[in-house]
Amino acid sequence: TFVIEEPSVRYQKRHRAEKPEAVVEALVRECAPVGGGPVLDCFAGSGTTGFVAKRLGIPAVLIEGDPAMCAVIAERLSEVRR
């Protein structure tokens, strides 16, 4: 068990359940498989998990059923700077 302490911040909401990148980064760092395995996000939404994982150099598998959100994910992933 671990606790993530992050201040509340306003951020660009692309999806109604979007999480702050700092919170997702803490989760990805803590939960990514040892040895470089991918993280899995079965409900990718706006792609924050994939965005953070790509920025950290960790592979990710994203699943999203809404074509509009898939377009948002593709755009976000193209903007990742490592």
Side-chain angles (χ1 to χ4, degrees), residues 15-55:
H15 186 273
R16 65 177 188 236
E18 186 175 352
K19 310 301 182 279
E21 289 176 19
V23 171
V24 174
E25 181 173 336
L27 290 169
V28 168
R29 286 182 183 276
E30 183 69 24
C31 300
V34 176
V39 295
L40 172 63
D41 187 347
C42 297
F43 305 97
S46 64
T48 303
T49 300
F51 181 86
V52 168
K54 187 173 180 182
R55 190 177 67 215

Short mmCIF file of all heavy atoms in Angstrom, two decimals, residues 15-55:
data_model
loop_
_atom_site.label_atom_id
_atom_site.label_comp_id
_atom_site.label_asym_id
_atom_site.label_seq_id
_atom_site.Cartn_x
_atom_site.Cartn_y
_atom_site.Cartn_z
N HIS A 15 -11.49 14.50 -20.89
CA HIS A 15 -12.42 13.39 -20.63
C HIS A 15 -13.01 13.61 -19.25
O HIS A 15 -12.33 14.14 -18.35
CB HIS A 15 -11.63 12.07 -20.69
CG HIS A 15 -12.47 10.86 -20.59
ND1 HIS A 15 -12.82 10.30 -19.38
CD2 HIS A 15 -13.02 10.06 -21.54
CE1 HIS A 15 -13.54 9.22 -19.60
NE2 HIS A 15 -13.68 9.05 -20.89
N ARG A 16 -14.24 13.20 -19.05
CA ARG A 16 -14.91 13.49 -17.77
C ARG A 16 -14.25 12.83 -16.57
O ARG A 16 -14.46 13.25 -15.43
CB ARG A 16 -16.38 13.10 -17.84
CG ARG A 16 -16.57 11.63 -18.02
CD ARG A 16 -18.02 11.23 -18.03
NE ARG A 16 -18.03 9.79 -18.02
CZ ARG A 16 -18.62 9.03 -18.90
NH1 ARG A 16 -19.31 9.56 -19.83
NH2 ARG A 16 -18.54 7.73 -18.83
N ALA A 17 -13.48 11.77 -16.79
CA ALA A 17 -12.82 11.09 -15.67
C ALA A 17 -11.30 11.17 -15.77
O ALA A 17 -10.59 10.33 -15.22
CB ALA A 17 -13.26 9.63 -15.62
N GLU A 18 -10.78 12.17 -16.46
CA GLU A 18 -9.34 12.31 -16.64
C GLU A 18 -8.64 12.53 -15.30
O GLU A 18 -9.12 13.28 -14.46
CB GLU A 18 -9.03 13.48 -17.58
CG GLU A 18 -7.57 13.61 -17.93
CD GLU A 18 -7.31 14.69 -18.96
OE1 GLU A 18 -8.28 15.22 -19.52
OE2 GLU A 18 -6.15 14.99 -19.20
N LYS A 19 -7.51 11.86 -15.14
CA LYS A 19 -6.72 11.98 -13.90
C LYS A 19 -5.52 12.88 -14.15
O LYS A 19 -4.97 12.91 -15.24
CB LYS A 19 -6.21 10.61 -13.45
CG LYS A 19 -7.27 9.51 -13.37
CD LYS A 19 -8.39 9.85 -12.41
CE LYS A 19 -9.41 8.74 -12.31
NZ LYS A 19 -10.39 8.70 -13.37
N PRO A 20 -5.06 13.59 -13.12
CA PRO A 20 -3.87 14.42 -13.25
C PRO A 20 -2.64 13.56 -13.59
O PRO A 20 -2.46 12.46 -13.04
CB PRO A 20 -3.71 15.07 -11.88
CG PRO A 20 -5.08 15.01 -11.27
CD PRO A 20 -5.70 13.75 -11.80
N GLU A 21 -1.79 14.06 -14.47
CA GLU A 21 -0.61 13.31 -14.90
C GLU A 21 0.29 12.93 -13.72
O GLU A 21 0.87 11.84 -13.72
CB GLU A 21 0.18 14.10 -15.93
CG GLU A 21 -0.52 14.18 -17.26
CD GLU A 21 0.21 15.05 -18.27
OE1 GLU A 21 1.41 15.31 -18.10
OE2 GLU A 21 -0.45 15.46 -19.25
N ALA A 22 0.44 13.79 -12.73
CA ALA A 22 1.31 13.50 -11.59
C ALA A 22 0.83 12.27 -10.83
O ALA A 22 1.65 11.45 -10.38
CB ALA A 22 1.41 14.71 -10.66
N VAL A 23 -0.47 12.12 -10.68
CA VAL A 23 -1.03 10.96 -9.98
C VAL A 23 -0.80 9.69 -10.81
O VAL A 23 -0.36 8.66 -10.29
CB VAL A 23 -2.53 11.17 -9.68
CG1 VAL A 23 -3.15 9.88 -9.15
CG2 VAL A 23 -2.71 12.31 -8.69
N VAL A 24 -1.08 9.78 -12.10
CA VAL A 24 -0.89 8.62 -12.97
C VAL A 24 0.59 8.24 -13.04
O VAL A 24 0.93 7.05 -13.02
CB VAL A 24 -1.47 8.89 -14.37
CG1 VAL A 24 -1.16 7.75 -15.32
CG2 VAL A 24 -2.98 9.09 -14.29
N GLU A 25 1.47 9.23 -13.07
CA GLU A 25 2.91 8.93 -13.11
C GLU A 25 3.33 8.14 -11.86
O GLU A 25 4.07 7.16 -11.96
CB GLU A 25 3.74 10.19 -13.23
CG GLU A 25 5.22 9.89 -13.30
CD GLU A 25 6.10 11.09 -13.60
OE1 GLU A 25 5.61 12.06 -14.20
OE2 GLU A 25 7.28 11.03 -13.24
N ALA A 26 2.85 8.55 -10.70
CA ALA A 26 3.19 7.82 -9.47
C ALA A 26 2.70 6.38 -9.55
O ALA A 26 3.42 5.45 -9.16
CB ALA A 26 2.59 8.53 -8.26
N LEU A 27 1.51 6.17 -10.08
CA LEU A 27 0.97 4.82 -10.22
C LEU A 27 1.76 3.99 -11.22
O LEU A 27 2.07 2.82 -10.97
CB LEU A 27 -0.50 4.87 -10.64
CG LEU A 27 -1.48 5.38 -9.58
CD1 LEU A 27 -2.84 5.65 -10.20
CD2 LEU A 27 -1.58 4.40 -8.44
N VAL A 28 2.10 4.58 -12.36
CA VAL A 28 2.86 3.86 -13.38
C VAL A 28 4.23 3.48 -12.83
O VAL A 28 4.68 2.34 -12.98
CB VAL A 28 2.98 4.68 -14.67
CG1 VAL A 28 4.00 4.09 -15.64
CG2 VAL A 28 1.61 4.79 -15.35
N ARG A 29 4.91 4.41 -12.17
CA ARG A 29 6.23 4.12 -11.61
C ARG A 29 6.14 2.99 -10.57
O ARG A 29 7.00 2.13 -10.51
CB ARG A 29 6.84 5.35 -10.97
CG ARG A 29 7.33 6.38 -11.96
CD ARG A 29 7.97 7.56 -11.22
NE ARG A 29 8.41 8.59 -12.12
CZ ARG A 29 9.57 8.60 -12.76
NH1 ARG A 29 10.41 7.61 -12.60
NH2 ARG A 29 9.89 9.60 -13.56
N GLU A 30 5.11 2.99 -9.76
CA GLU A 30 4.96 2.01 -8.69
C GLU A 30 4.50 0.65 -9.21
O GLU A 30 4.90 -0.38 -8.69
CB GLU A 30 3.96 2.53 -7.65
CG GLU A 30 3.77 1.65 -6.46
CD GLU A 30 4.99 1.56 -5.53
OE1 GLU A 30 5.80 2.49 -5.53
OE2 GLU A 30 5.09 0.55 -4.83
N CYS A 31 3.67 0.65 -10.25
CA CYS A 31 2.99 -0.58 -10.65
C CYS A 31 3.49 -1.19 -11.95
O CYS A 31 3.05 -2.29 -12.31
CB CYS A 31 1.49 -0.32 -10.76
SG CYS A 31 0.76 0.24 -9.20
N ALA A 32 4.36 -0.51 -12.69
CA ALA A 32 4.86 -1.08 -13.95
C ALA A 32 5.61 -2.37 -13.65
O ALA A 32 6.34 -2.46 -12.66
CB ALA A 32 5.77 -0.09 -14.66
N PRO A 33 5.42 -3.39 -14.49
CA PRO A 33 6.10 -4.66 -14.26
C PRO A 33 7.62 -4.50 -14.24
O PRO A 33 8.18 -3.77 -15.05
CB PRO A 33 5.67 -5.52 -15.44
CG PRO A 33 4.40 -4.90 -15.92
CD PRO A 33 4.55 -3.44 -15.65
N VAL A 34 8.25 -5.19 -13.30
CA VAL A 34 9.71 -5.19 -13.23
C VAL A 34 10.25 -5.85 -14.50
O VAL A 34 9.71 -6.83 -14.97
CB VAL A 34 10.18 -5.96 -11.97
CG1 VAL A 34 11.69 -6.05 -11.92
CG2 VAL A 34 9.64 -5.31 -10.72
N GLY A 35 11.29 -5.28 -15.05
CA GLY A 35 11.89 -5.84 -16.26
C GLY A 35 11.37 -5.21 -17.54
O GLY A 35 11.72 -5.64 -18.63
N GLY A 36 10.51 -4.21 -17.40
CA GLY A 36 10.09 -3.46 -18.58
C GLY A 36 8.83 -3.92 -19.26
O GLY A 36 8.57 -3.54 -20.39
N GLY A 37 8.03 -4.74 -18.62
CA GLY A 37 6.77 -5.16 -19.22
C GLY A 37 5.82 -3.98 -19.35
O GLY A 37 6.00 -2.95 -18.70
N PRO A 38 4.79 -4.13 -20.19
CA PRO A 38 3.88 -3.01 -20.42
C PRO A 38 2.86 -2.82 -19.29
O PRO A 38 2.53 -3.75 -18.57
CB PRO A 38 3.15 -3.41 -21.70
CG PRO A 38 3.18 -4.90 -21.68
CD PRO A 38 4.49 -5.28 -21.03
N VAL A 39 2.38 -1.59 -19.17
CA VAL A 39 1.24 -1.30 -18.32
C VAL A 39 -0.01 -1.41 -19.19
O VAL A 39 0.05 -1.18 -20.40
CB VAL A 39 1.32 0.10 -17.65
CG1 VAL A 39 2.50 0.16 -16.69
CG2 VAL A 39 1.43 1.20 -18.67
N LEU A 40 -1.12 -1.78 -18.59
CA LEU A 40 -2.37 -1.98 -19.33
C LEU A 40 -3.42 -1.02 -18.80
O LEU A 40 -3.63 -0.92 -17.59
CB LEU A 40 -2.85 -3.42 -19.15
CG LEU A 40 -4.24 -3.76 -19.69
CD1 LEU A 40 -4.29 -3.60 -21.21
CD2 LEU A 40 -4.63 -5.17 -19.28
N ASP A 41 -4.06 -0.30 -19.71
CA ASP A 41 -5.18 0.57 -19.36
C ASP A 41 -6.37 0.15 -20.22
O ASP A 41 -6.42 0.45 -21.42
CB ASP A 41 -4.82 2.04 -19.60
CG ASP A 41 -5.88 3.00 -19.09
OD1 ASP A 41 -7.00 2.55 -18.77
OD2 ASP A 41 -5.59 4.20 -19.03
N CYS A 42 -7.30 -0.59 -19.62
CA CYS A 42 -8.45 -1.14 -20.35
C CYS A 42 -9.51 -0.11 -20.68
O CYS A 42 -10.41 -0.39 -21.48
CB CYS A 42 -9.08 -2.26 -19.54
SG CYS A 42 -7.98 -3.65 -19.30
N PHE A 43 -9.47 1.03 -20.05
CA PHE A 43 -10.43 2.10 -20.28
C PHE A 43 -9.63 3.39 -20.43
O PHE A 43 -9.60 4.24 -19.54
CB PHE A 43 -11.43 2.18 -19.12
CG PHE A 43 -12.12 0.86 -18.87
CD1 PHE A 43 -11.66 0.00 -17.89
CD2 PHE A 43 -13.20 0.49 -19.65
CE1 PHE A 43 -12.28 -1.22 -17.67
CE2 PHE A 43 -13.83 -0.73 -19.44
CZ PHE A 43 -13.36 -1.60 -18.44
N ALA A 44 -8.96 3.55 -21.56
CA ALA A 44 -7.92 4.56 -21.73
C ALA A 44 -8.41 6.01 -21.68
O ALA A 44 -7.63 6.90 -21.38
CB ALA A 44 -7.16 4.32 -23.03
N GLY A 45 -9.68 6.24 -21.99
CA GLY A 45 -10.20 7.62 -21.93
C GLY A 45 -9.41 8.56 -22.79
O GLY A 45 -9.36 8.42 -24.00
N SER A 46 -8.75 9.53 -22.18
CA SER A 46 -7.97 10.51 -22.94
C SER A 46 -6.51 10.10 -23.08
O SER A 46 -5.71 10.85 -23.63
CB SER A 46 -8.06 11.89 -22.27
OG SER A 46 -7.47 11.85 -20.99
N GLY A 47 -6.14 8.93 -22.56
CA GLY A 47 -4.80 8.41 -22.79
C GLY A 47 -3.73 8.84 -21.81
O GLY A 47 -2.55 8.72 -22.11
N THR A 48 -4.12 9.33 -20.65
CA THR A 48 -3.12 9.83 -19.70
C THR A 48 -2.12 8.75 -19.31
O THR A 48 -0.91 9.01 -19.24
CB THR A 48 -3.81 10.42 -18.44
OG1 THR A 48 -4.71 11.45 -18.86
CG2 THR A 48 -2.79 10.99 -17.47
N THR A 49 -2.58 7.53 -19.09
CA THR A 49 -1.66 6.45 -18.74
C THR A 49 -0.65 6.21 -19.85
O THR A 49 0.56 6.10 -19.60
CB THR A 49 -2.43 5.15 -18.44
OG1 THR A 49 -3.32 5.38 -17.34
CG2 THR A 49 -1.49 4.00 -18.11
N GLY A 50 -1.11 6.15 -21.08
CA GLY A 50 -0.21 5.96 -22.22
C GLY A 50 0.75 7.13 -22.40
O GLY A 50 1.93 6.93 -22.69
N PHE A 51 0.25 8.33 -22.22
CA PHE A 51 1.08 9.53 -22.34
C PHE A 51 2.22 9.49 -21.32
O PHE A 51 3.38 9.69 -21.67
CB PHE A 51 0.19 10.77 -22.12
CG PHE A 51 0.92 12.08 -22.24
CD1 PHE A 51 1.09 12.67 -23.48
CD2 PHE A 51 1.42 12.72 -21.12
CE1 PHE A 51 1.76 13.89 -23.59
CE2 PHE A 51 2.09 13.92 -21.23
CZ PHE A 51 2.26 14.51 -22.47
N VAL A 52 1.87 9.23 -20.08
CA VAL A 52 2.87 9.19 -19.01
C VAL A 52 3.84 8.04 -19.23
O VAL A 52 5.06 8.22 -19.12
CB VAL A 52 2.18 9.08 -17.63
CG1 VAL A 52 3.18 8.74 -16.54
CG2 VAL A 52 1.44 10.37 -17.30
N ALA A 53 3.32 6.86 -19.56
CA ALA A 53 4.20 5.71 -19.78
C ALA A 53 5.18 5.97 -20.92
O ALA A 53 6.38 5.69 -20.79
CB ALA A 53 3.36 4.47 -20.07
N LYS A 54 4.71 6.53 -22.01
CA LYS A 54 5.60 6.82 -23.15
C LYS A 54 6.67 7.83 -22.75
O LYS A 54 7.83 7.68 -23.10
CB LYS A 54 4.78 7.33 -24.34
CG LYS A 54 5.60 7.50 -25.60
CD LYS A 54 4.74 7.84 -26.79
CE LYS A 54 5.60 8.01 -28.04
NZ LYS A 54 4.78 8.38 -29.20
N ARG A 55 6.27 8.84 -22.00
CA ARG A 55 7.24 9.84 -21.53
C ARG A 55 8.32 9.21 -20.65
O ARG A 55 9.48 9.61 -20.69
CB ARG A 55 6.51 10.95 -20.78
CG ARG A 55 7.40 12.14 -20.46
CD ARG A 55 6.65 13.25 -19.77
NE ARG A 55 6.24 12.81 -18.45
CZ ARG A 55 5.11 13.15 -17.86
NH1 ARG A 55 4.25 13.92 -18.46
NH2 ARG A 55 4.82 12.72 -16.66
#
